[in-house]
PDB file of all heavy atoms in Angstrom:
ATOM      1  N   ASN A 143      91.377  77.817  77.937  1.00  0.00           N
ATOM      2  CA  ASN A 143      91.794  76.453  78.110  1.00  0.00           C
ATOM      3  C   ASN A 143      93.188  76.135  77.524  1.00  0.00           C
ATOM      4  O   ASN A 143      93.755  75.100  77.790  1.00  0.00           O
ATOM      5  CB  ASN A 143      90.792  75.515  77.518  1.00  0.00           C
ATOM      6  CG  ASN A 143      89.621  75.355  78.404  1.00  0.00           C
ATOM      7  OD1 ASN A 143      89.742  75.133  79.566  1.00  0.00           O
ATOM      8  ND2 ASN A 143      88.411  75.461  77.816  1.00  0.00           N
ATOM      9  N   ALA A 176      94.700  90.513  78.875  1.00  0.00           N
ATOM     10  CA  ALA A 176      93.482  91.002  78.146  1.00  0.00           C
ATOM     11  C   ALA A 176      93.868  91.806  76.930  1.00  0.00           C
ATOM     12  O   ALA A 176      94.829  92.613  76.971  1.00  0.00           O
ATOM     13  CB  ALA A 176      92.680  91.876  79.101  1.00  0.00           C
ATOM     14  N   ILE A 179      94.493  95.567  77.118  1.00  0.00           N
ATOM     15  CA  ILE A 179      95.767  95.964  77.793  1.00  0.00           C
ATOM     16  C   ILE A 179      96.893  95.758  76.833  1.00  0.00           C
ATOM     17  O   ILE A 179      97.766  96.705  76.663  1.00  0.00           O
ATOM     18  CB  ILE A 179      96.018  95.087  79.069  1.00  0.00           C
ATOM     19  CG1 ILE A 179      94.887  95.288  80.066  1.00  0.00           C
ATOM     20  CG2 ILE A 179      97.365  95.383  79.680  1.00  0.00           C
ATOM     21  CD1 ILE A 179      95.023  94.561  81.398  1.00  0.00           C
ATOM     22  N   VAL A 196     105.068 109.784  85.089  1.00  0.00           N
ATOM     23  CA  VAL A 196     104.207 110.076  86.240  1.00  0.00           C
ATOM     24  C   VAL A 196     102.779 109.680  85.842  1.00  0.00           C
ATOM     25  O   VAL A 196     102.496 109.623  84.646  1.00  0.00           O
ATOM     26  CB  VAL A 196     104.169 111.565  86.625  1.00  0.00           C
ATOM     27  CG1 VAL A 196     105.517 112.008  87.183  1.00  0.00           C
ATOM     28  CG2 VAL A 196     103.821 112.471  85.402  1.00  0.00           C
ATOM     29  N   TYR A 253     100.342  85.970 104.031  1.00  0.00           N
ATOM     30  CA  TYR A 253     101.288  86.099 102.915  1.00  0.00           C
ATOM     31  C   TYR A 253     102.680  86.401 103.472  1.00  0.00           C
ATOM     32  O   TYR A 253     102.859  87.348 104.281  1.00  0.00           O
ATOM     33  CB  TYR A 253     100.768  87.186 102.017  1.00  0.00           C
ATOM     34  CG  TYR A 253     101.619  87.583 100.841  1.00  0.00           C
ATOM     35  CD1 TYR A 253     101.961  86.631  99.850  1.00  0.00           C
ATOM     36  CD2 TYR A 253     102.059  88.882 100.685  1.00  0.00           C
ATOM     37  CE1 TYR A 253     102.749  86.996  98.806  1.00  0.00           C
ATOM     38  CE2 TYR A 253     102.838  89.227  99.631  1.00  0.00           C
ATOM     39  CZ  TYR A 253     103.160  88.280  98.629  1.00  0.00           C
ATOM     40  OH  TYR A 253     103.946  88.638  97.581  1.00  0.00           O
ATOM     41  N   GLY A 307      91.941  82.988 101.161  1.00  0.00           N
ATOM     42  CA  GLY A 307      90.919  83.448 100.212  1.00  0.00           C
ATOM     43  C   GLY A 307      89.701  84.051 100.829  1.00  0.00           C
ATOM     44  O   GLY A 307      88.623  84.020 100.256  1.00  0.00           O
ATOM     45  N   GLN A 324      89.945 102.905 118.257  1.00  0.00           N
ATOM     46  CA  GLN A 324      89.976 103.014 119.771  1.00  0.00           C
ATOM     47  C   GLN A 324      91.416 102.957 120.287  1.00  0.00           C
ATOM     48  O   GLN A 324      91.736 103.650 121.251  1.00  0.00           O
ATOM     49  CB  GLN A 324      89.165 101.797 120.279  1.00  0.00           C
ATOM     50  CG  GLN A 324      88.788 101.824 121.721  1.00  0.00           C
ATOM     51  CD  GLN A 324      88.154 100.497 122.058  1.00  0.00           C
ATOM     52  OE1 GLN A 324      87.517  99.834 121.243  1.00  0.00           O
ATOM     53  NE2 GLN A 324      88.378 100.071 123.282  1.00  0.00           N
ATOM     54  N   ASP A 326      94.096 103.810 118.628  1.00  0.00           N
ATOM     55  CA  ASP A 326      94.945 104.692 117.846  1.00  0.00           C
ATOM     56  C   ASP A 326      96.054 103.958 117.069  1.00  0.00           C
ATOM     57  O   ASP A 326      97.241 104.296 117.162  1.00  0.00           O
ATOM     58  CB  ASP A 326      95.556 105.714 118.797  1.00  0.00           C
ATOM     59  CG  ASP A 326      96.216 106.874 118.059  1.00  0.00           C
ATOM     60  OD1 ASP A 326      95.880 107.044 116.856  1.00  0.00           O
ATOM     61  OD2 ASP A 326      97.057 107.606 118.613  1.00  0.00           O
ATOM     62  N   VAL A 423      87.309  85.728  83.324  1.00  0.00           N
ATOM     63  CA  VAL A 423      88.405  85.053  84.066  1.00  0.00           C
ATOM     64  C   VAL A 423      87.831  84.685  85.479  1.00  0.00           C
ATOM     65  O   VAL A 423      88.138  83.541  85.966  1.00  0.00           O
ATOM     66  CB  VAL A 423      89.650  85.950  84.145  1.00  0.00           C
ATOM     67  CG1 VAL A 423      90.647  85.363  85.227  1.00  0.00           C
ATOM     68  CG2 VAL A 423      90.317  85.916  82.793  1.00  0.00           C
ATOM     69  N   THR A 440      86.791  63.939  96.401  1.00  0.00           N
ATOM     70  CA  THR A 440      86.529  62.622  95.878  1.00  0.00           C
ATOM     71  C   THR A 440      87.800  61.758  95.629  1.00  0.00           C
ATOM     72  O   THR A 440      87.754  60.521  95.646  1.00  0.00           O
ATOM     73  CB  THR A 440      85.672  62.690  94.601  1.00  0.00           C
ATOM     74  OG1 THR A 440      86.403  63.557  93.691  1.00  0.00           O
ATOM     75  CG2 THR A 440      84.317  63.194  94.833  1.00  0.00           C
ATOM     76  N   ILE A 445      93.348  64.904 102.123  1.00  0.00           N
ATOM     77  CA  ILE A 445      93.536  66.409 102.118  1.00  0.00           C
ATOM     78  C   ILE A 445      92.186  67.093 102.270  1.00  0.00           C
ATOM     79  O   ILE A 445      91.196  66.659 101.804  1.00  0.00           O
ATOM     80  CB  ILE A 445      94.094  66.809 100.658  1.00  0.00           C
ATOM     81  CG1 ILE A 445      95.401  66.059 100.352  1.00  0.00           C
ATOM     82  CG2 ILE A 445      94.346  68.277 100.573  1.00  0.00           C
ATOM     83  CD1 ILE A 445      96.129  66.383  99.082  1.00  0.00           C
ATOM     84  N   CYS A 460      96.991  69.030 104.604  1.00  0.00           N
ATOM     85  CA  CYS A 460      97.434  67.684 104.267  1.00  0.00           C
ATOM     86  C   CYS A 460      97.734  66.843 105.502  1.00  0.00           C
ATOM     87  O   CYS A 460      98.350  65.786 105.474  1.00  0.00           O
ATOM     88  CB  CYS A 460      98.703  67.755 103.413  1.00  0.00           C
ATOM     89  SG  CYS A 460      98.477  68.646 101.865  1.00  0.00           S
ATOM     90  N   SER A 461      97.305  67.370 106.689  1.00  0.00           N
ATOM     91  CA  SER A 461      97.656  66.654 107.963  1.00  0.00           C
ATOM     92  C   SER A 461      97.329  65.169 107.912  1.00  0.00           C
ATOM     93  O   SER A 461      98.157  64.351 108.384  1.00  0.00           O
ATOM     94  CB  SER A 461      96.911  67.249 109.145  1.00  0.00           C
ATOM     95  OG  SER A 461      96.852  68.640 109.055  1.00  0.00           O
ATOM     96  N   VAL A 494      99.704  73.104 102.152  1.00  0.00           N
ATOM     97  CA  VAL A 494     100.332  73.595 100.924  1.00  0.00           C
ATOM     98  C   VAL A 494      99.312  74.559 100.310  1.00  0.00           C
ATOM     99  O   VAL A 494      98.116  74.488 100.539  1.00  0.00           O
ATOM    100  CB  VAL A 494     100.698  72.452  99.935  1.00  0.00           C
ATOM    101  CG1 VAL A 494     101.813  71.600 100.423  1.00  0.00           C
ATOM    102  CG2 VAL A 494      99.433  71.613  99.628  1.00  0.00           C
ATOM    103  N   CYS A 500      94.996  78.826  86.204  1.00  0.00           N
ATOM    104  CA  CYS A 500      95.636  78.222  85.040  1.00  0.00           C
ATOM    105  C   CYS A 500      94.581  77.506  84.219  1.00  0.00           C
ATOM    106  O   CYS A 500      93.487  77.235  84.662  1.00  0.00           O
ATOM    107  CB  CYS A 500      96.717  77.171  85.467  1.00  0.00           C
ATOM    108  SG  CYS A 500      96.060  75.870  86.442  1.00  0.00           S
ATOM    109  N   PRO A 503      93.311  72.085  81.747  1.00  0.00           N
ATOM    110  CA  PRO A 503      94.155  70.912  81.511  1.00  0.00           C
ATOM    111  C   PRO A 503      95.408  70.932  82.416  1.00  0.00           C
ATOM    112  O   PRO A 503      95.880  69.829  82.814  1.00  0.00           O
ATOM    113  CB  PRO A 503      94.529  71.024  79.997  1.00  0.00           C
ATOM    114  CG  PRO A 503      93.477  71.886  79.403  1.00  0.00           C
ATOM    115  CD  PRO A 503      93.024  72.822  80.525  1.00  0.00           C
TER     116      PRO A 503
END
Side-chain angles (χ1 to χ4, degrees):
N143 282 315
I179 299 181
V196 291
Y253 176 59
Q324 194 188 328
D326 191 20
V423 167
T440 53
I445 305 184
C460 302
S461 319
V494 290
C500 61

